């Protein structure tokens, strides 16, 4: 239950006025609308194709750890070399390779734009947040045994 912005009392969900002081609760409603919009946008971006049903459950169970390594920088080579017969590990190695190339490209952009005082700093922060978010999404997918493309960059297939 939300709290009144005026007196701090609990306000029942869906109520526009505080039952204690009568203050309008429009600010709380707008905050809820904003968080709903952000959540919807995140779900829209992360709504990528799930290929998990194409992979054998035994392969997925045996190679989850290898798949996690794929999203940690150059360690995408570990599943590529250590589990080369595993389609599940190769899928995640491909996603990791694409992410690694994106990290290199972002690093180049950050080193060039980093000299611009305010704008460069903002761009650096945003790019690093995107990279970290993509790593986390990839690791979560690997741990859950899913083969979902990373948002935006995951459609590229460099490893067959």
């Amino acid at each position: 239950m939300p709290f009144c912005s005026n007196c701090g009392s609990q306000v029942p969900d869906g109520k526009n006025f505080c039952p204690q002081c009568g203050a309008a609760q429009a600010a709380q409603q707008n905050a809820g609308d904003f968080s709903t919009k952000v959540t919807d946008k995140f779900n829209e971006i992360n709504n990528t194709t799930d290929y998990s049903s194409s992979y054998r459950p035994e392969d997925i169970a045996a190679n989850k750890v290898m798949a996690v390594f794929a999203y940690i920088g150059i360690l995408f080579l570990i599943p590529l070399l250590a589990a080369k017969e595993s389609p599940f590990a190769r899928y995640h190695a491909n996603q990791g390779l694409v992410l690694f190339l994106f990290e290199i490209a972002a690093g180049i952009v950050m080193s060039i734009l980093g000299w611009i005082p305010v704008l460069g700093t903002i761009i650096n922060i945003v790019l690093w947040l995107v990279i970290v978010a993509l790593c986390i999404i990839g690791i979560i997918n690997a741990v859950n045994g899913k083969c979902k493309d990373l948002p935006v960059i995951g459609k590229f297939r460099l490893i067959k």
Side-chain angles (χ1 to χ4, degrees):
M1 262 210 283
F3 293 93
C4 175
S5 57
N6 186 43
C7 71
S9 300
Q10 287 189 337
V11 179
D13 290 331
K15 298 293 181 182
N16 293 328
F17 297 95
C18 174
Q20 295 297 320
C21 69
Q25 301 301 304
Q28 290 179 355
Q29 195 67 21
N30 290 340
D33 292 344
F34 175 75
S35 79
T36 302
K37 288 178 184 176
V38 169
T39 303
D40 290 346
K41 189 64 174 171
F42 175 78
N43 289 336
E44 177 187 328
I45 291 170
N46 196 32
N47 187 18
T48 58
T49 308
D50 188 351
Y51 302 102
S52 303
S53 61
S54 304
Y55 296 88
R56 293 186 339 264
E58 306 84 36
D59 180 28
I60 292 172
N63 291 294
K64 283 184 181 180
V65 174
M66 290 292 170
V68 169
F69 281 122
Y71 297 98
I72 306 171
I74 198 158
L75 296 183
F76 75 87
L77 291 171
I78 291 176
L80 190 60
L81 300 173
K84 52 185 150 191
E85 271 75 44
S86 168
F88 179 74
R90 289 181 67 77
Y91 173 84
H92 285 285
N94 177 75
Q95 294 290 291
L97 171 60
V98 171
L99 179 59
F100 182 68
L101 294 174
F102 176 73
E103 290 171 12
I104 291 172
I108 293 169
V109 168
M110 287 188 278
S111 67
I112 293 170
L113 297 179
W115 295 98
I116 303 171
V118 176
L119 182 63
T121 304
I122 292 170
I123 291 172
N124 285 352
I125 291 170
V126 169
L127 282 173
W128 277 117
L129 289 174
V130 167
I131 289 168
V132 169
L134 290 173
C135 288
I136 291 170
I137 290 169
I139 290 170
I140 289 171
N141 286 338
V143 167
N144 289 330
K146 295 188 179 208
C147 291
K148 285 184 71 172
D149 290 342
L150 290 174
V152 183
I153 64 170
K155 294 179 178 99
F156 298 102
R157 298 288 182 260
L158 303 175
I159 300 171
K160 303 292 179 197

